Amino acid sequence: MYIHDSPTRLLPDVASQEHALAIGTLDWVGMDGMEMPVAFDAGDGDVRSTGARVGAFVNLTKPEARGIHMSRLYLLVSEALSSGPLTSAGIRALLESFLASHDGLSDHARLTVGFEHLVRRRSLRSDNSGWRAYPITIDATLTGSQFRIEITTDVVYSSTCPASAALSRQLIQDNFAKTFAADQPLDRETILAWLGTEQGIVATPHAQRSTATIRVRPAGDGVFPLIGMIDNVEAALGTPVQTAVKRADEQAFALANGQNLMFCEDAARRIQKALSSDPNIADFHLRVAHHESLHPHDAVAFASKVR
Ligand SMILES: Nc1nc2c(ncn2[C@@H]2O[C@H](COP(=O)(O)OP(=O)(O)OP(=O)(O)O)[C@@H](O)[C@H]2O)c(=O)[nH]1
């Protein structure tokens, strides 16, 4: 039987060794896609635990060092994420611990956390509700003493093209003029019935599912009121996608679309206005994409905070 004379004899520490091939510094090195639970308070006081994918990284400033100490980052993240809901201050402390655990090797640290936040949404008219899953990505970096945290989420909504709506109205007017001669006396009941037919309303505008991707830098140190921000954005757009839909809800949605005709520029400006005055947001960047049914490509617009 082979007996080793020390418990570490069979455990060479390759990461700590200097190595002839190790000749450069590295921007980021670490682990991506770590599977962990995360507790998150979206600002409504309801702390939820959900499965997340986590990335933990440091830079490698010592050209001759073979590698970083992955296990130290893993254990630090695992402990921090089980100690309560994510806050800006907590993430900053975690990144400081990354650097302390890699003294002499690293002066930049980064954490990414990705998960879905489920929210119950009421139907527009009927007494029903359903679930929406908002994807959330947190990306935090510590560069020396410079801490930066950004939270990204998507808001999905419907956009109906204002140009297409005007062109459709014109076709309906033309159809009316063709159907009812100028010298013909107009009968209210006949016109009412005509308005309710597909032969009368001959054209409809195109509409599309659309996505606003919003990246914010929170103003405070604690939990970020994410649901409040999403509610603001959905209210500004007026046409968020719906979950449980009865006919009455669908009709209310049709009205909301008709009252909120939007090019991608309009959508970007609406969100920009709603977020620029939010004191919880230090800065933001947004991208809206209208996944056009007119085109095989998207109509997109980008905007940032009005200063
Ligand atoms: N640096 C590095 N480690 C890797 C990689 N892939 C797997 N590992 C393993 O991650 C394990 C943990 O590394 P360390 O954190 O240095 O482990 P350790 O030496 O037991 O821990 P410390 O004593 O704290 O340094 C090692 O067994 C590595 O082989 C990689 O691409 N780079």
Side-chain angles (χ1 to χ4, degrees):
M1 190 170 110
Y2 175 72
I3 297 174
H4 53 83
D5 56 7
S6 135
T8 56
R9 172 92 186 272
L10 295 178
L11 302 174
D13 190 357
V14 175
S16 293
Q17 293 169 357
E18 297 190 354
H19 193 265
L21 283 177
I23 48 164
T25 59
L26 298 175
D27 296 342
W28 293 118
V29 54
M31 293 156 289
D32 208 2
M34 289 185 286
E35 299 159 2
M36 294 192 184
V38 65
F40 185 68
D41 179 352
D44 50 7
D46 181 13
V47 179
R48 299 232 219 108
S49 190
T50 184
R53 291 290 180 273
V54 181
F57 312 91
V58 289
N59 62 344
L60 186 53
T61 57
K62 199 173 165 190
E64 66 279 15
R66 180 75 185 272
I68 66 152
H69 302 277
M70 302 272 179
S71 67
R72 298 181 192 176
L73 300 184
Y74 185 95
L75 294 172
L76 288 167
V77 173
S78 174
E79 190 187 340
L81 294 194
S82 59
S83 69
L86 289 172
T87 60
S88 291
I91 290 173
R92 182 184 182 135
L94 175 59
L95 293 179
E96 283 166 351
S97 73
F98 283 10
L99 295 186
S101 74
H102 282 74
D103 192 28
L105 290 180
S106 310
D107 56 13
H108 296 181
R110 183 172 184 192
L111 181 82
T112 60
V113 186
F115 57 96
E116 285 191 330
H117 189 70
L118 279 166
V119 182
R120 222 179 220 300
R121 294 298 197 191
R122 297 213 59 76
S123 299
L124 289 173
R125 287 278 181 281
S126 68
D127 193 20
N128 293 307
S129 63
W131 292 101
R132 285 287 349 271
Y134 296 96
I136 295 171
T137 307
I138 297 171
D139 190 345
T141 51
L142 184 65
T143 308
S145 62
Q146 184 84 28
F147 176 64
R148 188 181 181 90
I149 183 165
E150 293 177 344
I151 302 175
T152 305
T153 193
D154 286 348
V155 172
V156 183
Y157 60 101
S158 164
S159 61
T160 303
C161 177
S164 183
L167 294 165
S168 299
R169 288 195 300 270
Q170 188 182 52
L171 284 172
I172 294 164
Q173 284 178 316
D174 291 349
N175 190 34
F176 182 90
K178 209 164 57 192
T179 308
F180 300 99
D183 54 355
Q184 181 183 335
L186 295 179
D187 172 58
R188 186 176 185 278
E189 289 308 312
T190 307
I191 293 168
L192 206 53
W194 181 86
L195 285 171
T197 64
E198 289 181 14
Q199 291 72 33
I201 308 303
V202 284
T204 57
H206 70 269
Q208 47 264 324
R209 191 185 292 173
S210 306
T211 309
T213 301
I214 298 154
R215 196 169 77 227
V216 301
R217 196 149 58 75
D221 254 4
V223 301
F224 177 67
L226 187 87
I227 290 306
M229 181 194 86
I230 291 173
D231 287 348
N232 276 347
V233 170
E234 292 190 346
L237 293 166
T239 54
V241 290
Q242 301 296 304
T243 57
V245 174
K246 302 297 258 183
R247 271 175 291 156
D249 304 312
E250 185 160 0
Q251 193 166 51
F253 191 66
L255 183 62
N257 273 266
Q259 302 301 298
N260 292 282
L261 302 171
M262 274 181 282
F263 282 139
C264 65
E265 294 93 325
D266 300 315
R269 288 188 176 116
R270 285 181 183 214
I271 301 170
Q272 182 184 48
K273 186 166 178 228
L275 298 189
S276 287
S277 55
D278 186 337
N280 296 306
I281 298 175
D283 206 355
F284 70 84
H285 180 79
L286 69 92
R287 175 187 193 272
V288 300
H290 288 190
H291 315 297
E292 295 282 320
S293 58
L294 173 65
H295 305 293
H297 49 259
D298 293 345
V300 297
F302 301 80
S304 45
K305 184 170 167 129
V306 176
R307 291 172 197 290

